[in-house]
Amino acid sequence: MDTSFITVNANSSVRIDAGDKVIYIDPFQISDSAGDADYIFLTHEHYDHYSPEAVETVKKTDTVFVYPKGMDKKIKKGAHGGVYYPVAPGQKYDAKGLNFETVASYNKLKPFHPKKCGNCGYLINVNGKKIYIAGDMDATDEAKAVRCDIAIVPIGGFYTMDYKEAAKLINIIKPGVAIPTHYGDVAGKPTDGEEFAKLVDDGIQVDIKLKV
């Protein structure tokens, strides 16, 4: 499956070129002044997912911001302009013609991403494909219920699943393609991507896009 329209910049920072629209998820460590974001999706408020500096680099005057409701005050305080679209987990939305669903994104036992915060992963319909961006999470029941064409999942451990847990999740949900993120910098080793790929079932394509 062609995933050339998806770029992983750093950590969990993803850019999706959907032809008529450009979508960023958790922009982070972006130095070039792109100014091309039609949509910016944020999974939660941690510095490596909500970077006001990176947001300012990629946004336009009419960018649509999609983010968990718990971030509403912080986003508005950032005064980024554009259109604000706060969301809750487990819902379906249409934001200016872009269809997506929200998936609860949380740790089961670790304290870093409590379920009560309402953090969101996203299932975005783009280029005829359903793309799952998990955010920082463990292999939860909500994640195991996801069905998608492309799954972008964290594998670095400590704050999220490690590569072994992430591979087990991928083998349950069986996307056409799995793209690992969130390793080699904030958490995890640079080799985690390759180790993850070894554990993913045959028939599931693994694209290692993160350069660490």
Side-chain angles (χ1 to χ4, degrees):
M1 187 185 300
D2 178 29
T3 63
S4 60
F5 62 98
I6 299 174
T7 304
V8 179
N9 175 57
N11 199 50
S12 294
S13 175
V14 174
R15 181 183 186 273
I16 300 173
D17 186 345
D20 62 338
K21 58 181 69 74
V22 173
I23 303 165
Y24 285 84
I25 301 95
D26 292 344
F28 180 58
Q29 292 183 356
I30 299 174
S31 56
D32 295 335
S33 183
D36 62 350
D38 295 298
Y39 293 85
I40 295 176
F41 282 76
L42 301 168
T43 60
H44 63 290
E45 66 179 15
H46 289 166
Y47 79 95
D48 53 328
H49 295 265
Y50 172 46
S51 165
E53 296 80 12
V55 165
E56 289 297 309
T57 297
V58 302
K59 74 166 192 176
K60 302 192 297 185
T61 56
D62 60 348
T63 296
V64 176
F65 290 83
V66 180
Y67 54 87
K69 289 181 178 180
M71 293 181 64
D72 199 43
K73 288 184 179 179
K74 180 171 283 192
I75 295 296
K76 289 177 178 175
K77 186 177 180 180
H80 298 298
V83 180
Y84 296 155
Y85 209 95
V87 296
Q91 304 295 320
K92 294 182 179 181
Y93 294 93
D94 183 312
K96 289 195 170 182
L98 181 65
N99 297 309
F100 65 93
E101 300 173 40
T102 52
V103 182
S105 184
Y106 61 93
N107 295 132
K108 292 189 289 186
L109 297 175
K110 300 170 184 177
F112 307 110
H113 309 96
K115 187 174 184 178
K116 65 181 180 182
C117 288
N119 298 340
C120 292
Y122 300 98
L123 271 167
I124 307 175
N125 295 303
V126 171
N127 291 355
K129 305 296 182 185
K130 184 171 284 190
I131 304 173
Y132 175 41
I133 301 98
D136 281 7
M137 40 73 81
D138 292 322
T140 62
D141 289 342
E142 292 90 339
K144 292 175 183 177
V146 165
R147 295 297 176 263
C148 61
D149 299 294
I150 300 170
I152 303 175
V153 295
I155 68 166
F158 194 74
Y159 301 105
T160 71
M161 302 179 289
D162 62 21
Y163 70 85
K164 295 178 182 178
E165 295 164 330
K168 288 180 180 178
L169 173 63
I170 290 299
N171 293 339
I172 290 171
I173 67 176
K174 299 185 185 305
V177 182
I179 300 174
T181 61
H182 207 290
Y183 67 95
D185 182 9
V186 176
K189 299 177 181 178
T191 55
D192 282 353
E194 287 79 9
E195 296 302 317
F196 167 78
K198 292 176 185 177
L199 298 176
V200 171
D201 287 345
D202 292 342
I204 300 174
Q205 176 182 332
V206 177
D207 283 358
I208 299 176
K209 294 178 176 287
L210 181 59
K211 293 177 172 60
V212 293

